[in-house]
Amino acid sequence: MTMKHDTIIVLDFGSPEAQKIAKSLRLKHFYTEVLPYNAKDIAAHGPKALILSDASQANLLPDEGIWDLGIPILSIGNTAEAIQKHLQKPPIYSEEKLIPASPDLPLYCIHKLDLNLLQDFVLFSKTQSTWTPEAFIQEAVSKIREQVKSDTVILGLSGGVDSSVVAALLHKAIGDKLIPIFVDHGCMRYEEAKRVREFFNCMPELNIRFVDAAELFYSKLKGVEDPETKRKIIGGTFIDVFDAEAAKYPDARWLAQGTIYSDVIESIGADGKSIQVKSHHNVGGLPETMKLSLVEPIRNLFKDEVRQVGLSLGLPSQLLDRHPFPGPGLAVRILGEVNPERVHTLQLVDEIFIRELRIWDLYHTTWQAFAVLLPLRSTGVRDGRRTYESVCALRAVNSEDAMSASVTRLPYEFLEHVSSLIIEEVKQVNRVVFDISSKPPATIEWE
Ligand code: XMP
């Protein structure tokens, strides 16, 4: 049975605070949705409370209908014309405690977001906090069952957080009607397929189809150096391989995807118009020709909530706390030609870097860390002999949304230690550098 949760709606007038407000309320188990400032028919969502996030921009007017809902409204930001127009007088601002605009209008205005006042507001609205990870899982499971009935569902499992949580949810909902397909494109992290198997040890009946297509990808990537061409080859080949594997299940009618809430909000934009839909962080997007309908069970979750749900489903934290990894994988971190030898070299280097970050308890001090193999060689000495080997770069950045990033200041002792280990353990590398560029102007990945 699906229960209806009390809902708080945040109307987004284009400030990044809208998401922050929603995240903080949801963390406390209040079911909260972010809608564009001009969303129509808000009543249909049956909200218990409404928050106008930064309604100060004079030309942006919310739907007039919000005044007839009879629910508490919190306006955050400077004097909003829409509110003045409605009240026909300046609203009352108070930063100490919430004061209603008038005895019969529960409208509260504050200049800037204050988490205590936000909490008071939610309390006034008598919203119930029932939206826990467990409640989410229970409802998601029944929704999935309702949606797909006894059909077969295909899922592209990448080893990342989102697709893994979708796999676990669907497995709980429909058992062996789920066909998770893991395509190894040969540019994955060190022993990735083995690691993915281990991550899902907790679900022994989950039958993951592992497709080792590395040779095919390497043959197509032979001699290719241009970054965009590499990406296109990987994206296209990935779709072909995935398609061919999925064709083995002709009765499959559904494709499950790990779309999450920030993808949804960001692809709509504050004005309600659809902006470029993020090519979902799968390698190349889904094969259009597959004629499958979509199942997107975590569409309403922020990233941290996906992790919470994953934990509640029994997935290991080593999987759920993984740094982001690009769909085309190590191919965008190998400058110049991608071939099995160079992939192997980079896998070893990256593995040492990540392993040591974990050992030194630094893995969580950085948002994303990885190694890059450069297309050049340099002179060194090993065991008294001159060497002429590859150079690799280490990169570690902090970021909120990947749009901008700053360098993580890893301790020098750590960097020196890792550099020595890499040069000692990986014979193909004799020089290690650390990338100190921010984004912008640099990007996070090197290609
Ligand atoms: P950039 O290099 O654009 O990366 O600063 C921003 C974030 O996105 C990841 N990234 C990708 N993820 N497919 C993906 O799924 C891609 O083609 C891709 N390119 C970059 C990158 O790792 C970083 O977290």
Side-chain angles (χ1 to χ4, degrees):
M1 274 303 289
T2 312
M3 86 174 267
K4 176 92 181 95
H5 299 278
D6 286 354
T7 302
I8 301 172
I9 288 185
V10 180
L11 287 188
D12 177 6
F13 285 73
S15 126
E17 262 184 9
Q19 283 202 31
K20 193 172 151 198
I21 296 167
K23 283 180 191 169
S24 76
L25 293 172
R26 291 167 70 144
L27 195 65
K28 300 211 165 84
H29 309 314
F30 294 103
Y31 183 67
T32 309
E33 281 181 34
V34 180
L35 296 179
Y37 73 89
N38 55 0
K40 300 270 177 280
D41 202 15
I42 291 170
H45 296 257
K48 291 278 280 190
L50 188 63
I51 296 171
L52 313 180
S53 167
D54 197 11
S56 54
Q57 297 169 56
N59 52 343
L60 303 183
L61 299 178
D63 194 77
E64 275 295 310
I66 66 169
W67 307 113
D68 304 326
L69 293 169
I71 57 171
I73 299 180
L74 177 69
S75 166
I76 306 171
N78 291 324
T79 311
E81 205 147 287
I83 294 173
Q84 287 212 42
K85 203 172 125 209
H86 178 75
L87 290 175
Q88 297 182 322
K89 63 173 189 189
I92 304 170
Y93 277 90
S94 161
E95 307 305 314
E96 307 284 292
K97 65 184 187 77
L98 296 176
I99 303 174
S102 69
D104 52 349
L105 181 61
L107 165 69
Y108 308 90
C109 296
I110 54 177
H111 280 115
K112 52 184 209 321
L113 177 61
D114 174 304
L115 293 180
N116 289 324
L117 292 179
L118 183 64
Q119 186 146 350
D120 288 350
F121 170 72
V122 172
L123 219 64
F124 288 175
S125 73
K126 303 207 167 62
T127 307
Q128 301 290 316
S129 55
T130 51
W131 194 64
T132 58
E134 291 71 29
F136 170 84
I137 292 169
Q138 208 187 356
E139 288 158 28
V141 163
S142 51
K143 260 190 237 158
I144 292 166
R145 287 181 183 149
E146 241 166 69
Q147 192 180 8
V148 310
K149 310 224 162 51
S150 57
D151 296 339
T152 300
V153 180
I154 301 240
L155 166 73
L157 183 67
S158 72
V161 177
D162 303 339
S163 66
S164 298
V165 171
V166 170
L169 258 181
L170 277 146
H171 178 59
K172 191 174 170 74
I174 59 170
D176 62 5
K177 288 285 177 184
L178 171 69
I179 311 288
I181 300 175
F182 176 94
V183 175
D184 184 346
H185 55 37
C187 302
M188 315 295 266
R189 282 169 281 203
Y190 182 69
E191 297 198 330
E192 178 70 358
K194 183 167 161 237
R195 199 156 293 167
V196 168
R197 246 182 257 274
E198 286 165 6
F199 285 146
F200 284 94
N201 272 346
C202 52
M203 297 171 198
E205 328 78 70
L206 181 73
N207 185 3
I208 305 171
R209 275 58 167 184
F210 286 91
V211 185
D212 181 356
E215 290 308 320
L216 175 67
F217 282 86
Y218 293 150
S219 70
K220 300 219 174 194
L221 288 166
K222 199 159 190 257
V224 179
E225 296 189 355
D226 176 64
E228 281 311 301
T229 315
K230 281 192 218 168
R231 277 177 185 268
K232 287 207 180 91
I233 291 174
I234 295 188
T237 312
F238 184 92
I239 288 176
D240 293 345
V241 172
F242 189 80
D243 228 350
E245 187 63 23
K248 295 182 184 163
Y249 308 92
D251 57 336
R253 293 201 36 228
W254 301 87
L255 182 76
Q257 275 204 331
T259 315
I260 67 171
Y261 201 41
S262 29
D263 301 334
V264 177
I265 299 178
E266 277 153 29
S267 65
I268 293 175
D271 62 356
K273 294 199 191 90
S274 184
I275 46 180
Q276 85 308 264
V277 175
K278 252 201 214 164
S279 59
H280 181 255
H281 274 197
N282 291 328
V283 181
L286 71 131
E288 290 276 324
T289 48
M290 287 176 70
K291 304 262 183 296
L292 298 174
S293 310
L294 287 184
V295 190
E296 298 179 306
I298 55 170
R299 224 186 128 78
N300 279 328
L301 299 186
F302 286 114
K303 195 82 181 184
D304 284 332
E305 295 161 355
V306 176
R307 296 199 174 96
Q308 282 302 320
V309 164
L311 274 180
S312 296
L313 286 165
L315 291 173
S317 58
Q318 289 253 350
L319 160 62
L320 298 169
D321 71 4
R322 278 184 131 187
H323 291 164
F325 187 74
L330 301 183
V332 296
R333 297 175 179 172
I334 294 178
L335 280 64
E337 192 198 35
V338 176
N339 60 43
E341 295 72 35
R342 299 192 78 208
V343 169
H344 184 61
T345 300
L346 184 58
Q347 282 177 336
L348 295 177
V349 173
D350 190 69
E351 178 63 13
I352 294 170
F353 185 30
I354 300 301
R355 178 190 80 203
E356 293 299 313
L357 278 170
R358 290 220 186 248
I359 292 174
W360 283 55
D361 218 4
L362 291 167
Y363 188 75
H364 296 296
T365 65
T366 183
W367 186 79
Q368 188 175 18
F370 56 89
V372 181
L373 186 62
L374 307 192
L376 45 90
R377 295 201 285 170
S378 80
T379 303
V381 278
R382 195 191 289 275
D383 304 329
R385 290 213 172 149
R386 183 180 175 283
T387 60
Y388 189 56
E389 294 293 352
S390 291
V391 182
C392 70
L394 304 183
R395 184 141 174 76
V397 293
N398 284 329
S399 176
E400 294 232 337
D401 53 6
M403 300 298 284
S404 64
S406 58
V407 175
T408 308
R409 298 184 177 200
L410 293 174
Y412 252 93
E413 316 81 79
F414 171 78
L415 289 172
E416 282 189 55
H417 163 77
V418 171
S419 159
S420 314
L421 269 188
I422 290 170
I423 294 172
E424 200 180 299
E425 292 182 26
V426 188
K427 297 290 174 258
Q428 300 84 345
V429 171
N430 67 356
R431 193 174 295 270
V432 177
V433 298
F434 186 61
D435 180 354
I436 50 168
S437 333
S438 314
K439 174 181 180 177
T443 50
I444 296 178
E445 302 293 344
W446 278 43
E447 280 192 348

